[in-house]
Amino acid sequence: MHKKYIGFLCLTHLILIHHCAAEIQNTVVVTGDGLTIQDVVNVAKNRFKVIISDDAKKRITATRAKVDTLVNEGKVVYGLTTGFGSLANVSISQDQTQQLQTNLIRSHAAGVGNPLSEEVVRAALLLRVNTFAKGVSGLRLSTVEKLVEMLNKEIYPYVPEKGSVGASGDLAPLSHIMLVLIGEGEVFYQGKRVETRAYLKELNFEPTSLSSKEGLALNNGTAVLTAVSALTIADAYTLINGAQITAAATFEALKACSSPFDSRIHQARPHDGQVKCASNIRRLLQGSSLIDSHISKVQDCYSIRCFAQVMGASIDAINYAKKVIEVEINSATDNPLIFDGAAYSGGNFHGQPIALAMDFAGMAIAEIGDISERRSARILDPQLNDGLPAFLIKGSGLNSGFMIPQYTAAALVSENKILAHPACVDSIPTCANQEDHVSMGSISARKASTILNNVFSVVAIELLLTIQALDFREQMPSAAIQALKKFVRSKVDFVEDDRILYKDIDALTEILKSGVIVTTVEQQIGALAI
């Protein structure tokens, strides 16, 4: 064989190997256990492909055989041979099983409001697949594989965001997703909301018919509220790091004292988040000529002096929520569950664990915004900002400078105070009082997500102000804050005279959300601890 031809074959083989390796790297293998929040992010946002492990397929198939036996034997089993909810005492014949499951999905698709984002819907689909991979739900393998096909073909069902009370899980939003599985409902296609049935060919998707137990398993669980929660918590870590960096820059601009971040203070009250935050601030400020430069200052205000205590508590709260969510994304949350050939009716669909955790997380995230807004107000006030011009603008009076961005921050933190009211303490009975205590966990999750987006904007406003303030200081900030300032100034110009500011705020909000500011600073000092 010619050497050039052999070389071509070898090169082709290497390219194929590289391509296969890349595909494997961009794949999440679903096993029923071990799914991480990062896996959820990768599938939801980064469009990773999904495959079901061989062991999971075996479990799904084995359990399905037991469900078929129960149905064939005519056993009275909730959701298999009976109606649902308060209609559980109504017997359903074997020849009505398929219609029963289809009716369940159709009748429960009763949500309202704006559509959930594609990322949330993809995350919810992944969580349902992972639940079913545990092998205790009783679906056919072919049905679970259809859900995977929806993910891998990037089919985006229309799912209204409101309508779930968080028990029996997310009945309404999950039903909207599963309508597409049976070729009904609506999808987004090329940016337009269209009828699924009319676009099946374009979607390259063959719908399935439901069998016994399947409708109930598909729409009974906490996948949607947990999907919102997982994505919110993932983004909360980006916010936490961006807010710590921004706060450190403000400490520089206000010539803060370093003593509140002395390690001995925090070891004397060693809450984990507090200790980590203080350590992060010490590293961010290392080498600064601005910190401690106000020789007559005895101590700073609470929004500076107590920053590690406040942010540390939020870090601990977010870490707690993360642990709860990581348990939930690897749990079976439908009902009934199949063990040893028998069906057991329980309540794993109840969203209380997530509801409590996300109400807590929402409050913790809101506090990051509260304390940020106070620093923004201080840095604008010539009575408090240690010699900086009023509202950080030359010729104030003719120019309003950054007066109004603080109003915006104030409005956002006030809205967050309302949103931080816990949803989990409310319960309205449903289903003719059969379901007499519900979690409202979907509301807890969505509230926390809204709070998070508000706080990103609040911190972006602080960042906009503090970089402007640093331009008025003659002393040099730390290397980390110099890198931050250089990056921000490459995106947003110094304000010499009044100009439109909302675009600057929007730009910095998106930059904070992307995490690029964190990456830029961590290149100087290493990874921040959370």
Side-chain angles (χ1 to χ4, degrees), residues 239-287:
L239 171 69
I240 285 168
N241 282 339
Q244 289 181 96
I245 292 166
T246 300
T250 302
F251 301 162
E252 296 258 31
L254 291 173
K255 298 183 179 180
C257 301
S258 64
S259 61
F261 306 103
D262 188 292
S263 62
R264 291 166 294 186
I265 289 176
H266 302 284
Q267 289 302 330
R269 191 205 197 190
H271 291 292
D272 186 57
Q274 177 179 329
V275 170
K276 287 176 178 175
C277 180
S279 174
N280 290 337
I281 296 300
R282 290 195 301 274
R283 291 163 57 206
L284 286 162
L285 298 179
Q286 188 172 5

Side-chain angles (χ1 to χ4, degrees), residues 480-496:
I481 302 307
Q482 286 181 53
L484 170 69
K485 184 173 179 291
K486 181 180 178 181
F487 177 81
V488 172
R489 278 288 169 255
S490 72
K491 305 298 181 182
V492 174
D493 293 333
F494 178 82
V495 178
E496 192 74 40

Side-chain angles (χ1 to χ4, degrees), residues 2 4 45 206 238 247 271 280 305 317 340 411 431 434 447 477 493:
H2 196 282
K4 286 186 177 179
K45 295 186 176 183
E206 183 68 30
T238 303
H271 291 292
N280 290 337
R305 183 162 31 120
D340 302 320
C431 201
Q434 174 72 3
K447 285 195 306 93
D493 293 333

